[in-house]
Amino acid sequence: MLVGIVGKPNVGKSTFFKAATLAEAEIANYPFATIKPNSGVGFVRLACADQDFNTQCNPRTGFCEHHFRFVPVQLIDVAGLVPGAHEGKGMGNQFLDDLRQADVLIHVIDVAGSTNDKGESIQIGTHDPANDVRFLEVELDMWYLGIIQKGWEKFARTVTQERAAIHIALAKQLTGLKVTEAMLEDAVAKLKLDPQKPLSWTDEDLLQLATILRLRTKPMLIAANKIDLPGAQENFQRLSTTFPQYTFIPCCGDAELALKQASKAGLIDYVPGDPKLVLLHAEKLNDKQKTALSSIQHNILDKFNSTGVQKTLDTAIFTLLGYMAIFPGGISKLEDKDGNRLPDCFLLPAGSTALDFAYKLHTDLGKNFICAKDVRTKRTVGKEHLLKHRDVVEIVSGK
Ligand SMILES: Nc1nc2c(ncn2[C@@H]2O[C@H](COP(=O)(O)OP(=O)(O)O)[C@@H](O)[C@H]2O)c(=O)[nH]1
Ligand SMILES: [Mg+2]
């Protein structure tokens, strides 16, 4: 699972990224091998299954606080994109390349309109953030189009001569963007293109194809950042109406970063995503710190119910992508062989079955699958059983 954080310069992408990836290292192990400089580990939050069993879990990866389980996801902070990025403006084509493998995008915008098209600081409210929503769509579509069009004529001629299946051939070319054969078959049918005659497809056809494939492979959520600035809330309301196809989440990256830092320093108790913070050592705080924390409580948390950073990640993975979190466990015990209770929690795509989960745990468990058990209800279920978010599942296998 890779989440791409995108947007023009100076909107708060790096602040969002830093806030989302800042967790106490020792409690936040993660299962990803190599981490590039601009990539890090964030977490999605869910009500931990441990509370339903009146116990406390011991996560192997991520962490659990006040029975909220935090499951690792990989994030990438992509450098700022400007209009013309797909043509290489501001090194945009390189930065776009970083996004190839992303499963979902978080578009961070400056909803207060305090930065222009290029991301330069201007007077608050003098730029319409609706332009930013549109510009990024165009850049992403043109980027996809460029990849499709690269060597298109030669490709289309070869496919026609060899009577090859266009969706298979094209899927191979676009696999780097996570485009599958099924997606291409759907898109070609939807656009009523003749799969036998790709040479007859017009530039407009290819652009529409690019758009459909981009929407399928890079679903996007909008983090309406800098919601703390004057005029931001009015813009937020207006944009939500103008772009009903998007989910907008009011966000204050600065506040989340401050809370994470205060929490790490042991000054406050704050569970990421919560609507409140609790001062732990009021005597250790100076007046400035007290004022800053109280302002975050009153002006952000009380008004918007959270800073929006955690909510953005959760919405991207659980709502937009429709993933669910599944815990392996046993009917007779929740511990693994080392005594760790509910140590794992996996993110699975919507529609995953008991058999999919078995394969996710281990190929052998999938191959030798006998049945699965819903640990909460103790019900025995078969291969095709559809899992639900927060299920605890035992796999019974032969051998
Ligand atoms: N008022 C306000 N400023 C923010 C917020 N998030 C980030 N900023 C500021 O916006 C500026 C640009 O942030 P940065 O994360 O470097 O933006 P990037 O270029 O998109 O990565 C910095 O001065 C941040 O402190 C926010 O939620 N509210
Ligand atoms: Mg940055």
Side-chain angles (χ1 to χ4, degrees):
M1 170 75 60
L2 181 63
V3 182
I5 301 173
V6 290
K8 69 181 187 184
N10 254 321
V11 291
K13 295 179 302 299
S14 295
T15 308
F16 183 107
F17 173 83
K18 205 169 161 196
T21 55
L22 188 70
E24 289 175 56
E26 60 276 20
I27 56 168
N29 302 315
Y30 43 80
F32 315 115
T34 49
I35 301 290
K36 285 196 280 175
N38 57 343
S39 89
V41 176
F43 303 87
V44 286
R45 163 182 158 144
L46 60 134
C48 190
D50 66 358
Q51 55 190 287
D52 304 336
F53 298 91
N54 283 317
T55 183
Q56 174 59 57
C57 67
N58 314 104
R60 197 196 319 274
T61 60
F63 54 96
C64 190
E65 271 180 35
H66 299 278
H67 298 289
F68 286 104
R69 181 83 170 230
F70 289 82
V71 182
V73 290
Q74 211 163 345
L75 303 184
I76 162 162
D77 176 19
V78 177
L81 297 168
V82 294
H86 74 279
E87 294 169 322
K89 211 153 180 210
M91 303 224 295
N93 42 5
Q94 282 183 40
F95 300 157
L96 284 164
D97 233 36
D98 283 346
L99 281 179
R100 280 173 181 264
Q101 284 296 311
D103 296 288
V104 61
L105 304 183
I106 292 174
H107 181 189
V108 181
I109 63 168
D110 169 354
V111 77
S114 67
T115 34
N116 66 14
D117 282 334
K118 291 188 216 144
E120 293 154 348
S121 283
I122 50 167
Q123 198 186 344
I124 297 173
T126 55
H127 177 82
D128 184 355
N131 294 342
D132 301 348
V133 176
R134 295 195 190 96
F135 116 82
L136 194 73
E137 288 179 331
V138 172
E139 290 308 322
L140 294 173
D141 286 347
M142 297 306 282
W143 171 47
Y144 267 53
L145 178 63
I147 295 171
I148 293 173
Q149 277 181 327
K150 209 168 167 195
W152 173 257
E153 267 186 36
K154 185 164 172 265
F155 169 79
R157 220 175 301 125
T158 312
V159 167
T160 312
Q161 275 163 8
E162 295 176 359
R163 294 171 180 271
I166 182 83
H167 63 276
I168 297 178
L170 200 48
K172 227 177 250 161
Q173 285 220 1
L174 303 178
T175 165
L177 294 166
K178 301 211 156 177
V179 172
T180 66
E181 290 174 15
M183 286 176 195
L184 267 162
E185 212 168 0
D186 274 2
V188 169
K190 200 167 163 189
L191 294 172
K192 300 198 169 60
L193 298 174
D194 185 346
Q196 313 291 319
K197 295 181 183 150
L199 281 165
S200 70
W201 299 4
T202 64
D203 285 350
E204 181 55 29
D205 291 336
L206 293 182
L207 177 59
Q208 288 186 7
L209 183 64
T211 303
I212 292 180
L213 295 175
R214 188 265 299 174
L215 289 168
R216 276 291 291 274
T217 51
K218 305 282 179 267
M220 188 152 76
L221 184 68
I222 301 188
N225 199 39
K226 308 199 186 181
I227 196 72
D228 53 303
L229 294 179
Q233 285 182 65
E234 289 75 13
N235 278 344
F236 174 82
Q237 295 300 345
R238 180 168 56 86
L239 263 60
S240 306
T241 317
T242 312
F243 301 101
Q245 69 273 36
Y246 285 113
T247 302
F248 288 81
I249 300 198
C251 204
C252 186
D254 262 356
E256 180 73 6
L257 184 57
L259 293 179
K260 288 274 176 68
Q261 284 164 338
S263 169
K264 197 165 185 179
L267 300 172
I268 60 169
D269 185 14
Y270 168 68
V271 183
D274 263 5
K276 63 172 179 15
L277 61 94
V278 177
L279 296 185
L280 288 180
H281 295 286
E283 75 283 357
K284 278 197 205 160
L285 295 166
N286 60 35
D287 285 348
K288 205 173 145 207
Q289 288 172 317
K290 272 187 206 154
T291 313
L293 290 169
S294 125
S295 157
I296 290 175
Q297 181 66 61
H298 293 118
N299 298 323
I300 306 292
L301 301 182
D302 291 350
K303 267 196 203 154
F304 304 101
N305 213 33
S306 81
T307 67
V309 171
Q310 186 63 53
K311 186 173 176 194
T312 300
L313 288 173
D314 299 344
T315 307
I317 277 70
F318 295 131
T319 310
L320 206 55
L321 286 181
Y323 269 59
M324 49 193 178
I326 309 292
F327 298 82
I331 295 258
S332 57
K333 63 181 174 69
L334 296 172
E335 291 87 5
D336 66 3
K337 59 180 179 357
D338 302 319
N340 292 317
R341 211 163 296 149
L342 293 169
D344 294 310
C345 181
F346 294 97
L347 298 174
L348 271 77
S352 293
T353 61
L355 185 64
D356 294 329
F357 183 54
Y359 271 106
K360 172 101 187 171
L361 294 177
H362 201 286
T363 317
D364 290 344
L365 286 180
K367 275 190 196 148
N368 306 315
F369 183 96
I370 294 175
C371 66
K373 289 180 176 175
D374 180 318
V375 175
R376 273 199 197 79
T377 61
K378 303 194 164 44
R379 224 161 56 96
T380 299
V381 296
K383 275 182 187 173
E384 306 297 330
H385 176 75
L386 288 175
L387 302 177
K388 300 186 304 301
H389 185 48
R390 297 182 65 250
D391 269 350
V392 183
V393 181
E394 176 176 351
I395 302 294
V396 181
S397 74
K399 283 193 243 176

